[in-house]
């Protein structure tokens, strides 16, 4: 999938010349970061999944799917007597 670049903030901005990339933003480093993320988060995911507290959700429409996720979380919280509006 191609990158989703931000809309230029002004008419004078040129995404080809005014856009910069971090020196550590390479495919090799990204792959390593993702490997570390999965290694470190798996135990947490298993812990919460075993307790029935993990919500699997794929936002097919991006931010437009947020109301659906909020409904799922609210239903889970209501069944556990948790007020999602006060959880920080």
């Amino acid at each position: 999938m191609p990158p989703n670049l931000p809309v230029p903030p002004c008419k004078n901005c040129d995404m080809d010349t005014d856009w910069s990339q971090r020196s550590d933003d390479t495919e090799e480093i990204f792959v390593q970061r993702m490997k570390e993320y999965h290694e470190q988060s798996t135990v947490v995911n298993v812990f919460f999944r075993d307790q029935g507290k993990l919500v699997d959700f794929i936002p097919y429409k991006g931010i437009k799917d947020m109301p659906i996720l909020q409904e799922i979380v609210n239903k889970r919280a209501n069944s556990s007597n948790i007020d999602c509006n006060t959880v920080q």
Side-chain angles (χ1 to χ4, degrees):
M1 172 172 24
N4 187 8
L5 298 176
V7 176
C10 65
K11 294 178 184 176
N12 298 328
C13 297
D14 181 352
M15 294 303 284
D16 293 325
T17 59
D18 297 333
W19 187 257
S20 62
Q21 182 176 1
R22 290 174 25 173
S23 60
D24 66 342
D25 191 13
T26 65
E27 183 176 356
E28 179 181 329
I29 291 174
F30 171 78
V31 169
Q32 180 61 34
R33 285 182 182 150
M34 291 305 297
K35 179 180 178 232
E36 290 173 11
Y37 166 79
H38 288 291
E39 288 172 355
Q40 295 173 12
S41 64
T42 298
V43 68
V44 176
N45 289 341
V46 169
F47 175 80
F48 285 106
R49 185 178 311 280
D50 289 348
Q51 294 185 21
K53 295 180 179 179
L54 183 68
V55 175
D56 288 312
F57 184 78
I58 300 173
Y60 291 105
K61 297 178 185 175
I63 194 71
K64 293 178 183 177
D65 282 335
M66 208 48 201
I68 297 168
L69 177 57
Q70 185 65 45
E71 182 180 338
I72 293 168
V73 169
N74 284 338
K75 284 180 182 177
R76 289 272 181 100
N78 289 336
S79 68
S80 300
N81 296 322
I82 298 172
D83 182 357
C84 289
N85 297 316
T86 60
V87 174
Q88 298 290 323

